[in-house]
């Protein structure tokens, strides 16, 4: 019997955005919502087998994990909460023995409209600027530009529900953000600040301005998956941890 699961709508929204990011890759979705979303990027987190259920079906996860679409790609398996033995066994059979817990942080409607940020200009970009966006994103996360080359695709800027943001201070690029809206849910992703502009409140300002923009157009609940380093930033913007996402990857 399916137990009450108030956060499943967020899990499903997360899966939908992963599918939409895989414009030039491969996706498969099973009847229980378990999904393979392989973007083709050389980053394990961007090629994933994901379940929206608190108790994923291990056989389904095994089937998706065996897809030829993952051959030759770094990839990952994402499950909610602390995984049970069956899923752990699937991951191990495929060499995914390293785990990372990413806090799911949510900003509920009762938190209201957040206060304005620190004066950073956070502006949406169109397809013509996606190359700049992708490079700035990679620099903010400290990875090679090819790692996030998929974000240079101009078609992403026209994908329904997606908005990509560049942040500027005194006319200079300082960081990036991304919004993924589905119904009244706002997913906040790709919050990255260039190294020389860190520790100035820009991460919180970018997050806050994205929330403000989309709350003004109908979103009521915002969510994100934080790195441990970012938790305090998002907590200051009104987000609270309510679950974890466990990501299995091959050891580096």
């Amino acid at each position: 019997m399916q137990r009450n699961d108030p956060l499943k709508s967020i899990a499903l929204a997360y899966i939908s955005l992963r599918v939409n990011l895989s414009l030039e890759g491969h996706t498969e979705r099973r009847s229980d919502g378990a999904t393979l979303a392989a973007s083709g990027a050389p980053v394990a987190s961007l090629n994933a087998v994901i379940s929206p259920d608190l108790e994923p079906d291990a056989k389904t996860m095994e089937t998706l994990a065996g897809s030829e679409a993952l051959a030759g790609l770094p990839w990952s398996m994402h499950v909610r909460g602390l995984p049970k033995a069956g899923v752990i066994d699937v991951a191990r059979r495929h060499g995914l023995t390293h785990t990372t817990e990413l806090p799911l942080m949510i900003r509920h409607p009762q938190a209201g409209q957040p206060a304005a940020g620190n004066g950073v200009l956070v502006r949406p970009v169109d397809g013509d600027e996606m190359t700049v966006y992708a490079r700035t994103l990679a620099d903010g996360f400290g990875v090679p530009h090819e790692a996030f080359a998929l974000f240079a695709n101009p078609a992403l800027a026209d994908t329904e529900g997606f908005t990509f943001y560049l942040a500027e201070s005194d006319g200079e690029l300082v960081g990036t953000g991304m919004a993924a809206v589905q119904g009244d849910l706002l997913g906040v992703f790709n919050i990255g600040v260039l190294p020389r502009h860190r520790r100035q409140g820009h991460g919180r300002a970018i997050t806050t301005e994205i929330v403000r923009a989309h709350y003004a157009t109908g979103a009521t609940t915002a969510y994100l998956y934080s790195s441990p380093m970012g938790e305090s930033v998002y907590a200051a913007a009104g987000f609270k941890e309510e679950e974890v996402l466990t990501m299995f990857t091959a050891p580096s």
Side-chain angles (χ1 to χ4, degrees):
M1 179 181 296
Q2 179 65 48
R3 56 180 160 172
N4 183 42
D5 186 1
L7 300 183
K8 187 169 183 176
S9 60
I10 290 177
L12 291 170
Y14 174 63
I15 287 175
S16 292
L17 84 87
R18 296 303 301 269
V19 168
N20 289 338
L21 279 178
S22 302
L23 282 177
E24 297 182 354
H26 176 87
T27 62
E28 297 178 31
R29 192 161 191 170
R30 299 291 164 160
S31 59
D32 63 357
T35 298
L36 164 63
S39 70
V43 181
S45 62
L46 294 175
N47 305 297
V49 173
I50 314 169
S51 174
D53 291 329
L54 287 168
E55 298 181 3
D57 180 75
K59 291 183 179 179
T60 300
M61 300 297 276
E62 177 68 59
T63 299
L64 292 173
S67 171
E68 292 183 0
L70 294 172
L73 289 174
W75 65 283
S76 55
M77 183 180 296
H78 301 187
V79 296
R80 296 169 58 196
L82 300 178
K84 295 201 166 48
V87 169
I88 294 173
D89 289 343
V90 172
R92 287 177 176 169
R93 281 195 293 273
H94 291 273
L96 307 183
T97 57
H98 179 75
T99 59
T100 304
E101 293 181 8
L102 303 175
L104 168 63
M105 302 186 73
I106 301 175
R107 195 178 194 283
H108 290 286
Q110 55 266 35
Q113 180 76 303
N118 65 354
V120 171
L121 172 64
V122 182
R123 61 178 181 84
V125 299
D126 58 23
D128 292 340
E129 287 189 287
M130 290 303 288
T131 297
V132 175
Y133 177 88
R135 289 177 178 172
T136 307
L137 176 65
D139 290 342
F141 279 82
V143 299
H145 288 172
E146 57 266 26
F148 288 154
L150 75 89
F151 291 102
N153 187 344
L156 279 177
D158 297 323
T159 301
E160 184 177 359
F162 280 177
T163 309
F164 298 88
Y165 293 91
L166 286 171
E168 300 173 352
S169 179
D170 296 326
E172 185 176 2
L173 285 175
V174 300
T176 59
M178 168 187 157
V181 176
Q182 185 169 354
D184 63 353
L185 290 175
L186 164 65
V188 182
F189 295 89
N190 292 2
I191 302 298
V193 176
L194 296 174
R196 64 184 178 278
H197 295 290
R198 291 175 184 162
R199 300 185 183 280
Q200 300 176 47
H202 295 332
R204 178 182 176 185
I206 296 169
T207 303
T208 297
E209 290 308 307
I210 291 174
V211 171
R212 285 172 58 83
H214 291 278
Y215 274 24
T217 58
T220 60
T221 301
Y223 73 94
L224 54 83
Y225 292 96
S226 174
S227 66
M229 186 187 310
E231 284 188 78
S232 61
V233 173
Y234 303 126
F239 289 80
K240 296 181 179 180
E241 180 180 343
E242 299 200 15
E243 193 173 86
V244 297
L245 183 76
T246 299
M247 180 171 66
F248 292 89
T249 56
S252 57

